[in-house]
Amino acid sequence: MSSVQIRDVRKSFGGFEVLHGVTIPIEDGAFVVLVGPSGCGKSTLLRMLAGLENITSGTISIGDRVVNNVQPKERDIAMVFQNYALYPHMTVADNMAFSLKLRGARPAEIASGVKRAAEILDLTPLLDRYPRQLSGGQRQRVAMGRAIVRDPQVFLFDEPLSNLDAKLRVAMRTEIKELHQRLKTTTVYVTHDQIEAMTMADKIVVMHDGIVEQIGSPLELYDRPDNQFVASFIGSPAMNFLKGKVKANGSLSFEGADGLKLPLKSAPANSDGLPVVYGVRPEHFTIADDGAEAEIVVVEPTGSETQVFARLGGEQVVAVFRERHQFNPGDKVRLKPDPSLIHLFEETTGKRL
Amino acid sequence: MSTLQTSVPVQASGADTLSLWARLRVNRNWIALWFMLPAAAFLILFLAYPLGLGIWMSFTDERIGRPGIFVGLDNYQWLWDDSIFWLSVFNTLLYTIVASAIKFAVGLYLALLLNRNMPFKAFFRSIVLLPFIVPTVLSAIAFWWIYDAQFSIISWSLIKLGLIEHNINFLGDANWARGSVIFANIWRGVPFVAITLLAGLQTVSPSLYEAATLDGATSWQRFRHITYPLLTPIIAVVMTFSVLFTFTDFQLIWALTRGGPVNATHLMATLSYQRGIISGRLGEGAAIATAMIPFLLAAIAISWFGMQRRKWQQGSSND
């Protein structure tokens, strides 16, 4: 186990810079998820960590050692690939034993290492099978087994669940988290799925266009997103954004389009008339007599909760209710955001106010 | 109405044959047969029939212009005692084994080279194909000049470099001639091997190499444990074809040496042509050609059983 330090790392392909100075501290034993839309540079960063891509500038260290010029095999890391990258011509046991064999381990050592990994992952009955004969979830587990066998300093996962069906993905999510709790190996996990990030991470790194937007625990990101991008990326259904101005003369409030008026608990000094984006999470709407009038467009019950899409101040918003209201499209309701839970962002920069 | 009435008894009387014909016309299995018939007829007419005729001829004493009579194994007995026939068998095996082995080695090397990322990749890939595109006889004529006893560019260059003093008698000396035709065959056959193996290399997922790199494999170990085993099915196919083409080679030898000097480069194919067509002893020529069949079958059998051994390719994928 080791800590990992990524300091001001940049990456260019030709003249095109894809990572613009990324700094991420990763504590020993942490489960860190790099999340962001495709093309944000998260996979490239992971591959740089693995040693599969050069580092254009900045440093990456594993433990106390700067690994910029260290060969991948010397870095003592193991990686699980999106397509699993299992060797098709080797049995499950041989796939897991491969790295040990190359390292020149004794046969007894190899056998016990494979046996231990197979037991951890429930692969013992499959050891003689070839990858072709396995289901998607089994292949996924073999790929993890190959990583576990090596007992590395750091595990790297590159979107390992995106080739699985929805149900299996949820099951594997739990399995990977459980595995981490058991082995306590530092883990860096890349995904584009914010739910995976939220459910698995100790610490989430939200990336966008080659920069780090915010680093924090899942609930920190959820409760206090630093900017509008993080606010929109984390949470499902996504946060509602309404454009308008702060009204600070007399009582504090937010004024949107079509005369929409929403409550505001606090605002920066001298912000009267400041153009802002008003963010409300769907579950922070309540039905109240002093709420703003909205017209219901679509109602989607999911059983545990009901998602209501409505038009509010000329924009479509979504509200989520745990209680079962009887709504029909076209109904008028009065929606009131909880003023202590709303988020204000600067309209031009998207920064949190 | 009247036509209907007249047609009914006709149908009733011929009901069995008609319905059988109708059934044959619409039955799925038979339909497949109908569709295959033109191709099958073509193959039977131009492949199976000449093959059968050739084998039959080898049991007769047929000559050009005179129908033969059945003579049993006489032709084979004659060949068994014929040292030139055995020389041609030796030449053919030597030619096939040496040329195929080198074609494989060079082809694999080129394929690995061309599989890398390099500038002008497409250009180099197409250049490699050139020897394959040029008609064999044309390239044979070029080699004929290259190997010419007086005007050989190789001899000329080596003399100018001061490495030798006299022209090399490329096609006049037995060993030089063997080496020369083998080299010409390699030159011509390498592109086929290289391009086919390159196609095979490109089906190997790059992430396997990355995984192996992380697992600690050196580039030789990556080749030994990833590339080579994953490429074996394609190697088996391409080398089977390469061996078959080389074993049955005719054009190159005929254009370069006609089997000479003193039969030193006669292959079974060229000897068969010489005896059967030039000398007119069709029966004997056919017997030499027929004698090639066991060798070819053996080559196919080896690669066939080699391919069947690979368990990892079998079994269903469950996704």
Side-chain angles (χ1 to χ4, degrees), chain A residues 47 50 52 72-73 77 79 81 83 85-90 98-99 102 130 132-135 139 146 150, chain B residues 205 207-208 210-218 221 225-226 229-230 311-319:
Chain A
R47 292 168 59 80
L52 297 171
K73 66 169 176 170
I77 38 116
M79 184 157 165
F81 291 82
N83 61 2
L86 299 181
Y87 310 122
H89 56 295
M90 297 185 197
F98 189 58
S99 63
L102 292 178
Y130 287 94
R132 278 191 77 132
Q133 301 164 308
L134 303 178
S135 69
R139 285 180 208 183
R146 210 164 57 174
R150 303 181 45 194
Chain B
S205 158
S207 62
L208 288 183
E210 291 177 348
T213 307
L214 294 183
D215 273 346
T218 60
Q221 284 168 326
H225 295 292
I226 310 292
L230 290 179
K311 252 196 299 183
W312 56 269
Q313 287 182 300
Q314 294 155 6
S316 58
S317 62
N318 288 331
D319 16 42

Side-chain angles (χ1 to χ4, degrees), chain A residues 28 47 53 55 75 129 137 139 148 192 232 262 287 300 307 314 326 339 352-353:
Chain A
D28 189 3
R47 292 168 59 80
E53 302 277 358
I55 299 163
R75 294 190 184 196
R129 300 245 193 120
R139 285 180 208 183
I148 291 174
H192 62 268
S232 66
L262 294 170
I287 306 276
E300 291 181 351
Q307 299 182 2
Q326 279 303 321
R352 185 185 188 85
L353 286 172

Side-chain angles (χ1 to χ4, degrees), chain A residues 172-185:
Chain A
M172 288 306 295
R173 212 157 72 189
T174 318
E175 213 168 302
I176 293 177
K177 194 169 178 179
E178 208 184 308
L179 192 70
H180 175 255
Q181 284 165 2
R182 202 164 143 186
L183 302 174
K184 299 198 167 47
T185 308

